[in-house]
Amino acid sequence: MFSKIKNYITENTGILIRLDDIAENMNWDLMKKLELLFEKHAIKPVLGVIPKNKDTDLLAYPKKDDFWEKVREWSSRGWEISMHGCTHVYETNSGKKDYFGYGGNSEFCEKSLENQIIKIKDGLNKFEEEKIKVRSFFAPNHTYDLNTFKALDECGIINIIDGYGVFPYSYKNLNFIPQLFYKEIMLPFGIQSTQIHLNYWKEKDFINFEKFLRRHQKKIVSFDNILNKVKSSFFIYSINFALKNCIKISRTLKF
Ligand SMILES: [Zn+2]
């Protein structure tokens, strides 16, 4: 009995490594170091690529001219390429009316369904032109409204790496992989995603991340592992829902 419980916990405990703000302009020195680290530990991360980056903060970083060639190389290694917004430029403020209630600036919230579809298609077209397969999405600043979800569904993207919960779940035809904390934290149970902003990292952040990977290597899961585990069960959805407020509190404490 106990070994069964133990196995169940082991099988359902893991973390997906999600990198944010992957674009032509970024901290390429640290990215090179991370690539070697992922290779060494056989980790398949999710890379949140901004297809048409126009964010002036990000444009200040060094530019890689053969960026899309690099993205194809990552994709051929089995690393998951996710769409992280379209231009990464905030155009509205959700004023806490966004789906997850985080509030703040948004590229998508409060825009009409038609406009959101145009924006998402625009981004997806860029990936198609570059012959890169995309199966998932996460919005800049975690801000979505119901139209964002409808627009994604209409564009054939049903996997969202964001939101609350301790376990991936399906809801309204979409799969959600929770993203809970600002720092890398391994929970004793559940499967969720990191958010890593390389551009803001200092050398010590890299060292800490390396330690985290070494310590939890066995619990690091790939995007495909997670898709196989996504449950539509009401039980999982209820647990996630019940934990929503606890996680909201921890998030405001910037864990
Ligand atoms: Zn971002």
Side-chain angles (χ1 to χ4, degrees):
M1 176 69 181
F2 282 118
S3 71
K4 264 191 183 169
I5 294 171
K6 207 178 153 201
N7 285 346
Y8 182 79
I9 290 174
T10 308
E11 276 170 25
N12 292 290
T13 303
I15 196 158
L16 177 72
I17 304 295
R18 182 190 103 178
L19 270 64
D20 296 35
D21 299 347
I22 303 295
E24 285 162 313
N25 298 74
M26 60 183 279
N27 186 339
W28 286 104
D29 290 340
L30 268 183
M31 188 63 198
K32 263 182 228 159
K33 289 179 75 170
L34 259 194
E35 281 185 84
L36 294 173
L37 198 62
F38 291 147
E39 288 285 298
K40 187 175 153 193
H41 294 280
I43 285 161
K44 290 183 177 167
V46 170
L47 305 182
V49 172
I50 307 165
K52 294 189 155 184
N53 180 33
K54 292 193 174 71
D55 182 328
T56 47
D57 287 350
L58 300 178
L59 288 171
Y61 289 91
K63 185 179 179 190
K64 186 167 182 57
D65 289 324
D66 60 347
F67 173 69
W68 289 101
E69 189 54 45
K70 191 74 196 161
V71 180
R72 281 188 287 277
E73 187 195 316
W74 290 328
S75 179
S76 71
R77 283 182 207 169
W79 297 8
E80 187 68 27
I81 308 301
S82 185
M83 176 164 149
H84 179 41
C86 180
T87 62
H88 207 276
V89 173
Y90 299 131
E91 297 177 17
T92 58
N93 189 294
S94 76
K96 292 253 175 199
K97 280 191 273 177
D98 59 294
Y99 184 77
F100 296 119
Y102 294 144
N105 293 327
S106 180
E107 189 183 345
F108 295 90
C109 272
E110 306 279 297
K111 289 183 156 267
S112 69
L113 177 61
E114 291 73 20
N115 280 342
Q116 297 204 41
I117 290 175
I118 290 168
K119 216 176 213 314
I120 288 162
K121 276 194 178 155
D122 193 24
L124 287 175
N125 284 343
K126 178 65 185 162
F127 287 107
E128 207 177 306
E129 270 171 34
E130 299 292 346
K131 305 204 170 4
I132 290 155
K133 191 174 144 199
V134 167
R135 304 184 286 176
S136 61
F137 175 90
F138 57 96
N141 206 25
H142 314 274
T143 42
Y144 311 74
D145 61 15
L146 289 176
N147 281 338
T148 321
F149 297 144
K150 271 188 212 154
L152 285 165
D153 194 11
E154 287 232 358
C155 295
I157 299 292
I158 59 159
N159 301 299
I160 294 158
I161 310 172
D162 229 330
Y164 300 109
V166 285
F167 205 84
Y169 61 93
S170 294
Y171 183 63
K172 292 191 174 176
N173 201 35
L174 298 168
N175 300 322
F176 290 87
I177 300 166
Q179 194 292 305
L180 305 179
F181 307 110
Y182 287 98
K183 289 179 186 163
E184 292 78 60
I185 291 177
M186 191 73 215
L187 293 177
F189 176 69
I191 295 178
Q192 38 112 17
S193 168
T194 64
Q195 58 161 333
I196 291 170
H197 290 92
L198 268 192
N199 291 332
Y200 309 133
W201 268 16
K202 302 272 181 292
E203 192 60 32
K204 87 169 189 330
D205 298 303
F206 182 84
I207 294 165
N208 288 340
F209 182 65
E210 191 173 15
K211 278 187 202 154
F212 178 86
L213 283 195
R214 250 189 272 131
R215 190 159 166 220
H216 299 294
Q217 191 175 352
K218 284 188 186 154
K219 291 180 190 153
I220 291 163
V221 293
S222 71
F223 184 74
D224 278 313
N225 292 150
I226 291 187
L227 287 192
N228 292 335
K229 279 179 187 292
V230 171
K231 307 270 200 304
S232 57
S233 104
F234 185 70
F235 175 66
I236 292 292
Y237 182 73
S238 308
I239 293 178
N240 282 339
F241 190 78
L243 285 167
K244 191 173 156 181
N245 285 333
C246 305
I247 291 160
K248 257 188 177 177
I249 292 163
S250 72
R251 194 153 186 130
T252 55
L253 295 172
K254 294 252 175 194
F255 276 120

